Amino acid sequence: MRLGLWGVFLALTESCWCAPQQTCYPGDELLGRCNNNVTETKPTCTEMHLSYCNDVGYTRTMFPNILGHQTRMDAESGAEYLLLSVIHGLLNGECTPDIRLVGCSVLASPCQDDKIIRPCRSTCEALRKDCGHTFEAIDMAWPYFLDCDRFFASDQEGCFDPLAALRARQEQTRSSLSPDKPSTIIQFTHTSNSQMYSLLKRTAAKCSHISHVYSIGRSTEGRDLLVIEFSNNPGQHELLEPEVKLIGNMHGNEVLGRQLLIYLAQYLCSEYTLGNPRIQTLINTTRIHILASMNPDGYELAAAEGHLMNGWINGRTNAQNLDLNRNFPDLTSVFYRNRRSKHYRTDHIPIPDGYWFEKVAPETFAVMKWSRSIPFVQSASLHGGELVVSYPFDYSRHPQDEKMFSPTQDERVFKQLARTYADAHTTMSDTDTDRCGARFYRTKGIINGALWYSFPGGMSDFNYLHTNCLEITVELGCDKFPSEVELYPEWKRNKEALLKFVESVHRGIKGVVKDVDGNGIKDATIAVKGIRKDVTTDEGGDYWRLLTPGTHIVTATAKGYSRVSKRVHLPQNLKKAGRVDFVLKKVPLKPFIDDHFFPMTETWDRFDPYNQFERYTEPDVVEGGIERQTKPWWWSYFSQSGISAPNWLLRSV
């Protein structure tokens, strides 16, 4: 639809998409700034008769107008009016009717006492800041007649706000909403990749004091993996503020999670601005990262067929035909092989060097690097196809058994996280046996991943065994690509669950590990007796450890420092994480057998050890503005070393 309108618009305006030719700027003669020395129609106020501008909030305009159109017929036949007539379709509803109303205020400005009243420059500048990305998304320049300096006036010169009536109507709509409906107005439609990028950037621009967007990398076909972050200090980690990530669309044809996260971003921005105390508290105390689409290439394939034609396979994989949830390092097998060795760490397991000789997707690489660079505490990956929350391990402790209960050391914490989401969802945990997800009614909508079905190389297992982060997988429903009419009901079912999941990061304990001089100690370990899974401190020495209520023995230690243990009691009704700080004294560093035989701390830092994947992610060719990768990461290694690549590797190119 959009491409068709764009083609028609270009065809009709091929020779006329420019300002009317004048000796001086259009409209300047009306202000006495210049004279074209030609006979023109005498400026007079007349009734408004432009159908696409009939809701501007006034009824009289003037011709000639600011753009130099002599009559209403001249204005209606111009490229400017044509653009306003198709703008909703071109931008798929984004920034409309705002752009149309501001455009109408230039094309048909209100008049009073036979004088034109120009629209306010401040309104134009705010509109361009919020909506400039919508035109960039379709490779179109910002319309010339929306030039804020040329056709708009300052408050001192006397102007009117063309969006004042629209804002009044929106405020009236908000006030008339019943309490059970969201006060934030969201357009519940499917969102293309370009629309998603534009919408996230606009949202961050509207709430720049609490939000910003950043890219963690590019997909195989060069699309941005764009993250929007919410925090009272965006862009920076704050001491003792926990970090949460939400990931959608890992499988390109599972689109509901993608849409829910886009709606969540808009909701957080709007509700914070509206003064919602719950949302303000959440954002002021938590750093939230939202990756709405991990697989934008797969989404393109799925969206091309639409929700009626899309099956269970098309668009699931990335452009390399790799299932991203099978593409992470299989650290679970490493854990199973070594879990009985008292010298082998069962957390922060390094990535085996052999993994880098396999086919690693750029999307996988980007998420791994992202997960290592930020001290995430908990995470949720949103999928589709069932209605259940699963949690690690996803790979069975007996690989031949595809359905075997395979708990982690944090089984109780994971069940608590899963319960948080399932119980807050409107139907996931009920006992109705006729609904989607009914086979999980006995466990009330949660299940251990390997007990459901086993697979290696999953993202949740990787998070648990390689980082501090605990991640659950949320299956949102049986329809992977629901119709647009289902999007608002799905938002209602999941909104509270998403919010409560993010809020649940404020459980367990948190604190700072310092030396006697008050300096934070990085990479100190926090161990809990009975749970063979340690977490490590960040740059400033702060840490977070999710725990269930009860009594725990917590020990902090670091290389070259003393070991300190504390007894901690977490009551059932504790509403926030308990504060447990440690002060460690320096002690003589003694040789330890693990340092020689099991140097785990050093090898954890071996990420892409030959730096080959980094080179692979650099663009070789630019085609149509999209970066393309033409050679695999190992190509330069063999080229520079003079060693011939094996035939089996060459055949994979």
Side-chain angles (χ1 to χ4, degrees), residues 255-274:
V255 305
L256 179 56
R258 164 194 174 106
Q259 292 304 139
L260 292 178
L261 293 183
I262 293 171
Y263 304 152
L264 179 64
Q266 297 174 78
Y267 180 82
L268 293 175
C269 169
S270 178
E271 290 296 303
Y272 190 99
T273 304
L274 291 171

Side-chain angles (χ1 to χ4, degrees), residues 77 283 448 566:
S77 61
I283 292 176
N448 172 258
K566 293 186 177 183

Side-chain angles (χ1 to χ4, degrees), residues 295-568:
N295 187 3
D297 298 348
Y299 175 82
E300 283 289 320
L301 181 59
E305 294 187 347
H307 78 95
L308 291 177
M309 298 295 293
N310 185 258
W312 279 60
I313 301 299
N314 293 329
R316 175 183 174 89
T317 59
N318 77 340
Q320 298 168 300
N321 200 31
L322 294 174
D323 187 329
L324 299 180
N325 207 27
R326 309 292 187 274
N327 193 236
F328 284 80
D330 178 16
L331 302 183
T332 322
S333 293
V334 178
F335 166 77
Y336 287 145
R337 285 197 303 267
N338 298 283
R339 67 184 185 275
R340 290 186 175 86
S341 170
K342 69 175 183 178
H343 292 295
Y344 198 89
R345 286 183 66 170
T346 55
D347 57 87
H348 295 83
I349 297 176
I351 299 171
D353 283 3
Y355 168 77
W356 301 104
F357 289 90
E358 301 170 6
K359 199 166 188 179
V360 181
E363 297 90 345
T364 309
F365 178 86
V367 170
M368 286 194 295
K369 194 169 184 179
W370 181 42
S371 300
R372 289 166 54 94
S373 64
I374 295 174
F376 292 115
V377 181
Q378 70 185 45
S379 171
S381 177
L382 307 187
H383 290 250
E386 261 295 355
L387 189 63
V388 68
V389 178
S390 69
Y391 57 88
F393 287 123
D394 284 325
Y395 193 36
S396 172
R397 52 184 170 171
H398 292 297
Q400 303 305 317
D401 196 332
E402 295 184 355
K403 294 181 182 293
M404 172 175 277
F405 177 59
S406 303
T408 66
Q409 291 287 310
D410 282 286
E411 167 70 10
R412 292 179 62 192
V413 175
F414 269 122
K415 287 185 73 173
Q416 179 178 257
L417 287 176
R419 281 260 66 87
T420 297
Y421 197 100
D423 290 348
H425 190 278
T426 58
T427 62
M428 191 178 288
S429 62
D430 68 32
T431 56
D432 179 6
T433 56
D434 293 326
R435 64 174 175 83
C436 167
R439 60 175 166 154
F440 302 105
Y441 83 94
R442 294 184 187 277
T443 57
K444 294 189 176 182
I446 70 171
I447 192 170
N448 172 258
L451 182 59
W452 182 13
Y453 66 92
S454 173
F455 64 90
M459 183 166 67
S460 294
D461 284 10
F462 169 80
N463 272 275
Y464 183 70
L465 293 172
H466 190 67
T467 73
N468 290 339
C469 185
L470 275 63
E471 180 175 279
I472 60 171
T473 300
V474 181
E475 299 283 344
L476 295 164
C478 294
D479 192 348
K480 294 187 175 187
F481 202 135
S483 63
E484 287 191 343
V485 73
E486 282 297 314
L487 294 178
Y488 177 58
E490 288 292 352
W491 167 247
K492 289 173 64 178
R493 294 183 191 110
N494 287 277
K495 182 188 75 171
E496 183 63 21
L498 287 166
L499 293 176
K500 283 198 170 178
F501 175 78
V502 176
E503 289 171 334
S504 70
V505 74
H506 296 279
R507 287 176 175 168
I509 60 174
K510 64 180 179 180
V512 181
V513 180
K514 300 179 180 179
D515 61 22
V516 293
D517 296 321
N519 302 311
I521 302 175
K522 182 188 177 184
D523 291 331
T525 61
I526 305 297
V528 179
K529 186 176 181 180
I531 302 177
R532 200 176 171 196
K533 155 74 176 177
D534 299 345
V535 299
T536 57
T537 56
D538 195 48
E539 294 281 349
D542 50 344
Y543 76 92
W544 304 261
R545 184 54 167 104
L546 297 177
L547 292 170
T548 54
T551 301
H552 305 275
I553 305 299
V554 184
T555 301
T557 186
K559 185 174 290 188
Y561 289 89
S562 61
R563 179 187 301 264
V564 175
S565 296
K566 293 186 177 183
R567 187 183 185 90
V568 178

